[in-house]
Amino acid sequence: RGLSSPALSSPCPGGPPAFSFDIDGVLIRGKHVLPEALEAVKKLTTADGRWRYPVVFMTNGGGVCEERKAAQLSGWLGVQVAPSQVILAHTPMRDLAPQLAAAPVLVSGRGDVLAVARRYGLGRALHTRQLGRAMPAATPFSAYPPPAPKAEAAEAAVAAPAAAGPGVGAGVGPVPASAASAAPPGPAAAPAAGPGPEPNITAAAAAAQFAEPCPVVHQGLATEQAPIHTVLVMTDPDDWYRDAQLICDVLSGGGVPARSPAAAAAAGAAPVRLVFSNPDLLWANEFPKNRFGQGAFAHMVLSLYSRLTGGGRPPHVTFYGKPNPQPYRLAERLLLAQARELGLELPEAPPGALPFSAIYGVGDNPAADVRGANQAGAPWVSVLVRTGVFQGPGPNCDIDTARIAVDDVAAGVEAALHHT
Ligand code: G3P
Ligand code: MG
């Protein structure tokens, strides 16, 4: 279980505390920074604005690269946040890159997830909007720009480097030069007016993606030579209908560049893998009632797939994102590195244990943040705030499991700094 496990990592009493802050419903509500967030930061920084303890920001949101989210958090909170302090829903997917770098991967999600995937090293990623545009009859209720006039299309083809040679097959070609060296995704996204979910990519960025050749499709028909290997839902989709339709097509095979589970078995290939980055059924923005999150989209896809296949479930479905362990193991690595960079006095900890008196996991969603910290085991301590999803005991929202329950993030930091 990575660096820490309940058996090994009992809290190190002499160690420093560390903090992991959720974002939506804890630091911001929709487009508003919560005033208690600024108070909490003050308690955790020195007079000249340096962090006193290791701190990460762990969100089930995303759609941008870690550098851009760090810059946003620095602006919202008035303190320097480094990219290595940011864990987005899709950040742990970076570990998949070595095995997926050469495979056609279909990515779904708002924001500039295609550029993020390419920066993670997924050189043959294509976005659902590109697949939809290449075969518009597959999603008749979604809107696509008209095909570029021949000349423009020829120009676009020239702009994208030729396939890397005979070994490439008809899979999604190498990353177009423009994309490979893409600056951190962010300029392509509409400038975020302030806090809140990442705006979708700008029309210009979408147009550039539509102009890229989609080599897994030829004249609206799938080419089977390099079928899609994995589907990564990196953030909440920008078109639930289009993505539910295309993901179900890819998972069940036929008509799109993907093999059905049976055809994959017959070809001795693995069935398509489906990975969701965030299981949140609900999340909190400025609307008074909680909103559907990516977990609701996952429910939609899996129940449609079940209806399509007479009760079947895709052979490989994985969920990342809180409360699952991947972000917690990554947070432990990042917090330990920060403790060393800060030069903190770290006690001798048993091998594999973490030298912290506690890692306070502060969040607003019992089903994600409280359950995740509790499941992560010592030295994690769950801290539930009442400024987001949690609106009182009830299904999916039981306060009893939180180790510490407070009104807001400033009270949570206060409680943690006096917690024994
Ligand atoms: O889309 C983001 C939402 O699901 C929750 O975000 O920051 O509360 O983990 P957060
Ligand atoms: Mg939250």
Side-chain angles (χ1 to χ4, degrees):
R1 287 193 60 221
L3 269 173
S4 73
S5 71
L8 271 180
S9 60
S10 56
C12 280
F19 294 84
S20 170
F21 292 111
D22 173 34
I23 297 179
D24 287 300
V26 174
L27 305 176
I28 64 173
R29 276 289 303 244
K31 299 197 178 324
H32 310 291
V33 178
L34 297 178
E36 298 85 359
L38 305 180
E39 265 181 75
V41 166
K42 270 209 190 68
K43 297 174 189 289
L44 294 175
T45 50
T46 58
D48 58 354
R50 283 176 300 108
W51 294 105
R52 292 166 53 205
Y53 306 108
V55 170
V56 291
F57 297 89
M58 187 198 294
T59 174
N60 276 354
V64 287
C65 62
E66 289 72 15
E67 290 83 354
R68 177 173 162 94
K69 186 54 75 180
Q72 287 175 350
L73 284 164
S74 303
W76 302 341
L77 302 175
V79 65
Q80 190 58 37
V81 174
S84 58
Q85 289 180 274
V86 172
I87 299 173
L88 301 171
H90 42 73
T91 305
M93 289 180 171
R94 275 187 300 216
D95 296 344
L96 297 174
Q99 55 187 287
L100 293 181
V105 173
L106 182 64
V107 300
S108 160
R110 62 186 303 107
D112 206 352
V113 293
L114 182 58
V116 173
R118 288 169 169 168
R119 274 165 64 83
Y120 286 174
L122 301 178
R124 299 176 70 188
L126 74 153
H127 194 278
T128 43
R129 69 169 66 84
Q130 295 177 307
L131 183 60
R133 165 74 188 289
M135 35 192 355
T139 50
F141 303 137
S142 288
Y144 300 103
K150 283 276 174 282
E152 257 178 61
E155 235 168 75
V158 166
V168 172
V172 178
V175 176
S178 58
S181 55
E198 194 54 28
N200 204 6
I201 59 171
T202 58
Q209 291 184 8
F210 283 131
E212 284 180 21
C214 183
V216 288
V217 173
H218 183 61
Q219 285 166 357
L221 294 173
T223 59
E224 281 300 316
Q225 287 88 328
I228 287 163
H229 175 283
T230 296
V231 177
L232 298 180
V233 182
M234 296 175 71
T235 57
D236 309 59
D238 56 327
D239 180 339
W240 283 35
Y241 153 74
R242 176 196 68 207
D243 289 13
Q245 177 69 75
L246 291 176
I247 291 172
C248 283
D249 288 335
V250 165
L251 291 171
S252 54
V256 290
R259 294 192 185 99
S260 67
V272 173
R273 289 173 49 190
L274 172 59
V275 185
F276 291 102
S277 67
N278 162 7
D280 285 356
L281 176 70
L282 301 170
W283 68 291
N285 70 348
E286 64 270 36
F287 193 73
K289 278 187 71 178
N290 295 324
R291 303 296 76 202
F292 282 150
Q294 190 188 136
F297 176 70
H299 274 293
M300 182 168 135
V301 169
L302 295 177
S303 59
L304 287 170
Y305 183 87
S306 171
R307 290 293 300 273
L308 278 174
T309 57
R313 181 177 167 85
H316 287 300
V317 183
T318 313
F319 279 90
Y320 279 44
K322 301 172 288 183
N324 299 295
Q326 305 92 343
Y328 291 87
R329 296 294 83 86
L330 175 56
E332 290 164 355
R333 294 201 296 272
L334 297 177
L335 290 167
L336 188 56
Q338 276 180 53
R340 290 177 177 142
E341 277 158 31
L342 290 171
L344 297 180
E345 185 86 12
L346 298 176
E348 262 316 292
L354 290 160
F356 299 121
S357 56
I359 302 177
Y360 294 98
V362 185
D364 67 303
N365 185 343
D369 305 295
V370 172
R371 189 166 302 154
N374 290 349
Q375 288 177 167
W380 287 84
V381 173
S382 53
V383 181
L384 176 63
V385 297
R386 291 187 176 81
T387 47
V389 165
F390 176 69
Q391 298 181 353
N396 205 22
C397 280
D398 88 44
I399 190 170
D400 301 342
T401 57
R403 292 272 299 280
I404 299 174
V406 287
D407 286 339
D408 54 58
V409 63
V413 168
E414 196 58 29
L417 294 176
H418 295 91
H419 182 231
T420 51

